[in-house]
Amino acid sequence: MSRLTIAKLLKPARLLWRLFKVLASLLVLLTVVLAVATTFTVLRSGDKNFQPPELALTVNDVSKLNPVRVGQVLRPTSIADIQAALGATTGRVSIGGGRFSQGGQTAYPDSLHLDMRSFNKVLSIDAEAKTVTVQPGIRWRDLQAAIDPHDLSIKIMQTYANFTVGGSLSVNVHGRYIGEGPLVGSVLALKLLLADGSVIEASPNANADVFYGAIGGYGGLGVIVEATLQLEDNVAVERKVRVMAVEDYAQHFRDNVRENSGVVFHNADIYPPHYNRLRDVSWFSTDKLPTVSERLIPENKDYYWQVKAAEFVASSNLGKWTREHIIDPVVYFPERIEWRNYEASYDVAELEPEDRSEYSYGLREYFVPVARFDEFVVQMRDIFQRNQANIINVSVRHAKADPNTLLNWAKTEVFAFVVYYRQGTDATAKEAVRVWSSEMIDAAIALGGAYYLPYQLQASPEQFAAAYPKAEDYFALKTRLDPNNRFVNLLWAKYYPNNRDLLAQTKADLGDYYRSEEQTFLTIPEWYLVFQPKEYADYLAEGRNPSHFPFYESIEEYWVLYDRATAISRQNYPANAEYRTMLRVIGISTTLEYLAKGAYESSIGRFTRWAAGGEDTPEDKLIQQAHRAYSELIYDEPWYEFDFAGWGDRIWSETSLWGDHPLRKWERKLFFSAEFGFKSMYAKAIKYAAQSTYGETDKRIYLTAQRVTRNSIRLAREPEGVEMLAGGGDDFLMSVPRWGGFTETMPRFAPDEWLISDISGNHQIVVSLLGAAGADVSALAGSELFRSVLVSDDERERIFVLLAVADLTKFLADIAASKTGQLLELEHIFDY
């Protein structure tokens, strides 16, 4: 064969190859354009200036790890306010102050929450006797400002002055005061308001059992409404610092600190991550003039650099080395003489990070008899290093024995190991902290010590009983003073026997009972990808032009909902980074899809629709059916379960190749085949990845409910679609279908037959309604979060409402009965 002949044969191949390269180049260019357009669209879309509404009934603490939905918040200013509230209600009552406890000790779901911070007056000061009587909501810092002009100082308190006096009494705090012990040692008398509204006066000499039960009693007996405290002189104190090996500290303390009457404040900071060196920081009374002019640390001081330094130290071992060898030597080098009140007026703002959604800072505290210091340090070092705990500081304090309070953590003279640490906010990080903390508790108990109760409630009931052997006496007193168990918080929900959850083990065995509450917000943008296909299917079913559907506005709406939901979640809950990452991924892929589809429909699709005279072809009608089927399936099943390939086949098998408007027919066939063909392959990949990672999805969600009693008869049966799993006391554990089935099933719980106390362990939930623009929902239970206009109908709005789980059955009944005076439609209940 001649070369000429071969060249002629290869010529078509070369043309095809050139055409392929052109098409490949165009495809690459199109991909780049879509990627740039998607990035640009995502960056400019959304509602990044959204100011999340305050969740007024959500009580959280400084850690931001324990949001609790209460039923009502009362801010009393008098004893009469509290008495009236107790008389007007019959349910549970929780008590909060500064909310610096870190495990829900100030709140209980659906309770009447007494926010004591407005009950904050100084009632009397006796400068000669050095006593003061205060209301419990006053902060130590405000009390310091009141007594400083009298040259008086608080005898015992925490290092930081932001806490309320009532909260400090309830946990029986201690400080850095040498020669002192817990706060109870400075309390002369108090008044306690009981559940029946009566007020009892108590002191070490009168109603001593009440006195020693209420102090350190965590609000379980009643409301502390007044306290009289012993004060001390406000003297000048001089700082002296010494660095030493940890093994030298116990002897140093005995020889130089314990019996030294000149020492006012003392603590020793053990440096992580090696825990073999510490810095003794002691303040001695002195006649020298202070080097600091202020008598108290100014309020609203800027702590920008202190916060940044704390974050740097927490971020790595390099940060910890820098603190030990550079920062602290510089900070402690100068001579420093202050007033006692100045040194006692620290502000927690110097440690408060800008954001606690992804990382939070916490405290743990362990008490060990002074003679066992060296043994405990060895075990502590092993526990922290083996568990790779991110400890920032271990501050050693001293406390005298407290033999009298019923929940005494200082049964003997003790060293307190105050552990300051950083942790992630996800479930894995919480579990890691629980592990090392549990080991620390066991180590302290084995040496005759205890652990402190104001922190995360991760200790087992057995550990609690071992650390607090007089708890039975406390519980007996509570039964006498509070027979109806009205005063409850999450601490006593776990450890008070009368609050024992008879279904706890059954729930634990389920594994999937508990879900994160923030997901009722975070699922809002995810569910928009269910609402939007329904809106699109409705739009097509009305015979409207698919080329006119607002795809770009749909993109904007997704990111608006994303920004709003994540803002509310970030303000009130841990970050849930995994869920937020998933929302970003599906948001970006949806943005890409809608950009491509919107561009195509507004150009080629618009032209072929015009060519067909605006009429629907058989292909258009089949596409309408496909989108309706898809929108219905994804309410109850994952989107990747839809039969994209089957519908792609049907457009060829069920519609003719030729007929009226052939241009539109073929364009619809090819476009639909390409769209659903791609989605079919993508769905298979996503399904494989999801099942490989998570296994089979549990299609049930769980709740706890009680039958409503009418005339002493409980006749209600579980609604259709609900499965009764177990009963315990008045509680019934039930399972309900998830997703769309949840919204369909929950209205079957009649409010006069069932009271739902929690869903997946949560006590509040988000519901979306559809209604006319401007519809008034103020008469409904719950609070409006925000609303948005439907992209295809600007006369209708989607309204998002947050309500208590306990109010859900009545809320749904009111919507069904249109009791709001206008037509509102239940769209969805966001089931975590």
Side-chain angles (χ1 to χ4, degrees):
M1 185 179 294
S2 69
R3 291 183 179 181
L4 181 61
T5 303
I6 296 173
K8 289 181 179 179
L9 292 174
L10 291 177
K11 188 174 182 179
R14 291 193 185 101
L15 290 174
L16 287 174
W17 174 244
R18 290 172 184 170
L19 179 61
F20 173 78
K21 287 196 293 184
V22 170
L23 291 175
S25 300
L26 289 174
L27 181 60
V28 170
L29 178 62
L30 178 61
T31 302
V32 171
V33 169
L34 281 175
V36 171
T38 300
T39 302
F40 177 76
T41 303
V42 171
L43 290 176
R44 68 180 296 274
S45 297
D47 187 4
K48 298 172 181 60
N49 296 319
F50 175 69
Q51 295 298 316
E54 179 185 359
L55 305 186
L57 296 179
T58 298
V59 175
N60 210 331
D61 57 53
V62 66
S63 73
K64 298 299 183 184
L65 295 175
N66 305 284
V68 179
R69 162 95 184 204
V70 298
Q72 178 185 353
V73 175
L74 175 70
R75 297 175 177 84
T77 59
S78 68
I79 293 175
D81 290 344
I82 304 173
Q83 290 171 321
L86 290 175
T89 60
T90 59
R92 302 297 178 85
V93 180
S94 59
I95 309 163
R99 302 179 183 177
F100 287 98
S101 294
Q102 299 176 13
Q105 292 85 349
T106 62
Y108 188 77
D110 301 322
S111 65
L112 165 64
H113 178 73
L114 303 178
D115 183 341
M116 303 296 288
R117 288 175 289 186
S118 297
F119 195 18
N120 58 358
K121 293 183 173 60
V122 175
L123 300 177
S124 66
I125 300 174
D126 188 332
E128 184 175 347
K130 300 179 185 177
T131 63
V132 64
T133 300
V134 298
Q135 293 177 329
I138 191 169
R139 299 182 310 150
W140 290 113
R141 179 61 177 76
D142 298 324
L143 178 53
Q144 288 168 337
I147 64 177
D148 186 76
H150 299 278
D151 284 325
L152 294 173
S153 183
I154 293 160
K155 184 177 182 179
I156 303 172
M157 60 171 284
Q158 304 99 316
T159 297
Y160 291 92
N162 309 76
F163 304 82
T164 61
V165 171
S168 299
L169 290 167
S170 292
V171 306
N172 197 16
V173 301
H174 67 95
R176 297 171 292 148
Y177 301 90
I178 288 300
E180 304 295 348
L183 177 58
V184 66
S186 68
V187 184
L188 301 175
L190 57 80
K191 291 182 180 179
L192 189 72
L193 193 156
L194 302 180
D196 62 6
S198 63
V199 176
I200 185 170
E201 298 186 17
S203 71
N205 300 313
N207 296 310
D209 57 344
V210 175
F211 181 82
Y212 289 119
I215 298 177
Y218 293 84
L221 303 182
V223 187
I224 296 174
V225 292
E226 187 177 301
T228 300
L229 307 175
Q230 184 69 57
L231 303 175
E232 291 285 353
D233 292 324
N234 184 30
V235 298
V237 292
E238 180 180 10
R239 183 178 68 194
K240 296 182 179 180
V241 179
R242 180 174 173 181
V243 178
M244 67 191 71
V246 168
E247 57 265 26
D248 296 334
Y249 175 73
Q251 187 65 46
H252 163 76
F253 180 83
R254 288 192 294 269
D255 293 344
N256 302 292
V257 180
R258 185 177 183 275
E259 302 298 337
N260 191 334
S261 60
V263 181
V264 178
F265 302 100
H266 167 83
N267 67 281
D269 291 330
I270 301 177
Y271 288 108
H274 303 298
Y275 309 96
N276 55 13
R277 283 164 48 90
L278 60 74
R279 185 180 299 271
D280 165 3
V281 182
S282 297
W283 295 82
F284 292 77
S285 58
T286 182
D287 294 329
K288 297 178 183 179
L289 292 176
T291 60
V292 179
S293 60
E294 294 97 341
R295 294 176 64 89
L296 290 166
I297 297 176
E299 294 199 83
N300 302 317
K301 185 177 176 181
D302 183 7
Y303 292 103
Y304 176 83
W305 290 111
Q306 289 90 330
V307 171
K308 291 299 181 184
E311 292 177 353
F312 172 67
V313 171
S315 65
S316 66
N317 285 342
L318 173 62
K320 295 173 177 61
W321 183 93
T322 304
R323 177 210 167 193
E324 179 181 353
H325 296 284
I326 299 177
I327 297 175
D328 280 4
V330 171
V331 168
Y332 289 112
F333 176 75
E335 177 188 39
R336 192 168 181 90
I337 303 171
E338 306 168 354
W339 290 106
R340 173 175 168 145
N341 279 346
Y342 188 96
E343 182 59 22
S345 60
Y346 284 100
D347 190 330
V348 296
E350 72 175 16
L351 298 174
E352 185 61 24
E354 295 178 0
D355 178 45
R356 285 182 179 263
S357 62
E358 295 187 13
Y359 292 97
S360 189
Y361 294 76
L363 288 172
R364 288 288 199 278
E365 195 162 348
Y366 310 93
F367 306 101
V368 178
V370 292
R372 314 299 292 272
F373 175 87
D374 291 328
E375 296 173 76
F376 185 74
V377 167
V378 172
Q379 295 184 53
M380 178 186 75
R381 181 187 298 125
D382 172 66
I383 291 169
F384 287 159
Q385 292 178 343
R386 180 163 37 81
N387 288 283
Q388 298 181 325
N390 188 2
I391 308 301
I392 302 170
N393 186 60
V394 180
S395 179
V396 181
R397 320 286 175 84
H398 173 265
K400 296 193 307 184
D402 163 29
N404 296 315
T405 57
L406 296 184
L407 296 177
N408 56 342
W409 45 262
K411 296 180 281 294
T412 62
E413 181 185 358
V414 297
F415 280 123
F417 290 76
V418 184
V419 179
Y420 184 54
Y421 64 95
R422 187 171 87 160
Q423 69 166 95
T425 57
D426 56 52
T428 301
K430 291 178 182 178
E431 174 61 16
V433 171
R434 186 201 66 77
V435 169
W436 64 250
S437 180
S438 180
E439 292 184 28
M440 289 285 286
I441 290 172
D442 287 340
I445 291 172
L447 296 175
Y451 70 99
Y452 207 15
L453 295 175
Y455 305 123
Q456 293 296 317
L457 305 179
Q458 294 169 330
S460 67
E462 293 76 20
Q463 288 174 318
F464 170 79
Y468 292 91
K470 293 199 291 185
E472 290 301 321
D473 296 333
Y474 174 84
F475 294 149
L477 181 62
K478 175 172 174 60
T479 301
R480 176 165 66 85
L481 298 180
D482 184 21
N484 295 320
N485 193 21
R486 296 201 66 186
F487 294 108
V488 184
N489 51 51
L490 294 190
L491 174 76
W492 297 130
K494 181 168 185 177
Y495 298 119
Y496 184 39
N498 290 354
N499 291 322
R500 187 164 62 93
D501 183 356
L502 299 178
L503 294 173
Q505 189 58 52
T506 305
K507 294 175 182 177
D509 291 342
L510 280 172
D512 290 325
Y513 185 87
Y514 293 98
R515 296 180 182 273
S516 299
E517 188 172 86
E518 69 271 11
Q519 289 186 184
T520 194
F521 302 98
L522 294 179
T523 52
I524 289 172
E526 182 183 14
W527 269 91
Y528 179 67
L529 302 186
V530 177
F531 305 151
Q532 196 273 356
K534 180 180 184 302
E535 195 172 346
Y536 184 53
D538 291 342
Y539 186 92
L540 296 180
E542 294 169 3
R544 300 167 73 178
N545 188 345
S547 297
H548 293 163
F549 187 79
F551 289 106
Y552 302 142
E553 288 82 353
S554 298
I555 296 171
E556 171 73 11
E557 181 68 0
Y558 176 87
W559 292 110
V560 164
L561 295 177
Y562 171 86
D563 283 341
R564 293 178 178 181
T566 54
I568 295 173
S569 175
R570 186 183 304 110
Q571 178 175 274
N572 298 280
Y573 298 90
N576 201 331
E578 181 180 0
Y579 210 98
R580 284 165 57 181
T581 298
M582 181 271 291
L583 292 176
R584 286 192 290 269
V585 169
I586 64 175
I588 290 171
S589 63
T590 300
T591 299
L592 179 62
E593 176 189 349
Y594 288 0
L595 279 174
K597 192 167 183 176
Y600 182 88
E601 286 287 13
S602 63
S603 54
I604 297 174
R606 184 187 295 268
F607 174 74
T608 61
R609 182 81 175 185
W610 170 80
E615 295 182 11
D616 283 341
T617 65
E619 288 77 10
D620 282 296
K621 294 178 181 178
L622 188 139
I623 292 172
Q624 293 170 13
Q625 296 173 25
H627 283 288
R628 173 64 67 197
Y630 176 72
S631 71
E632 291 174 350
L633 175 133
I634 58 177
Y635 266 85
D636 300 303
E637 300 288 345
W639 71 273
Y640 50 72
E641 296 290 353
F642 187 71
D643 185 13
F644 292 103
W647 280 95
D649 292 340
R650 288 178 63 178
I651 202 166
W652 294 96
S653 63
E654 296 183 15
T655 62
S656 62
L657 294 178
W658 304 104
D660 295 337
H661 313 303
L663 181 63
R664 176 69 174 179
K665 284 175 65 67
W666 276 90
E667 180 270 327
R668 287 291 90 178
K669 287 178 186 290
L670 294 173
F671 173 65
F672 182 74
S673 297
E675 178 188 5
F676 271 41
F678 175 79
K679 287 183 175 180
S680 176
M681 293 185 292
Y682 186 52
K684 290 177 182 178
I686 294 298
K687 180 177 181 179
Y688 175 79
Q691 292 183 346
S692 299
T693 304
Y694 302 108
E696 290 297 325
T697 303
D698 186 358
K699 298 181 180 180
R700 309 290 288 186
I701 196 165
Y702 305 95
L703 59 84
T704 303
Q706 301 81 36
R707 288 192 175 104
V708 175
T709 302
R710 291 175 296 176
N711 300 322
S712 301
I713 300 175
R714 298 180 179 181
L715 300 175
R717 293 178 56 83
E718 60 272 25
E720 180 185 354
V722 177
E723 182 181 355
M724 185 81 73
L725 300 180
D730 294 330
D731 294 335
F732 293 92
L733 180 62
M734 303 177 176
S735 77
V736 183
R738 288 189 69 192
W739 304 311
F742 186 75
T743 299
E744 180 183 351
T745 303
M746 293 308 295
R748 298 171 186 164
F749 283 90
D752 60 347
E753 294 181 350
W754 290 101
L755 173 65
I756 301 172
S757 56
D758 80 78
I759 300 173
S760 290
N762 301 308
H763 295 82
Q764 59 184 356
I765 196 165
V766 175
V767 173
S768 63
L769 307 173
L770 295 176
D776 182 12
V777 296
S778 59
L780 294 171
S783 56
E784 180 180 324
L785 293 172
F786 55 84
R787 59 177 68 195
S788 59
V789 176
L790 270 65
V791 295
S792 63
D793 185 354
D794 59 10
E795 294 184 357
R796 302 191 75 207
E797 287 183 323
R798 180 173 286 115
I799 308 165
F800 296 91
V801 178
L802 177 67
L803 68 151
V805 164
D807 295 332
L808 181 60
T809 56
K810 183 178 184 304
F811 178 91
L812 297 177
D814 288 347
I815 294 297
S818 298
K819 290 184 179 179
T820 58
Q822 56 198 308
L823 184 60
L824 287 169
E825 174 189 347
L826 172 66
E827 181 182 44
H828 189 64
I829 309 172
F830 295 87
D831 63 346
Y832 318 103

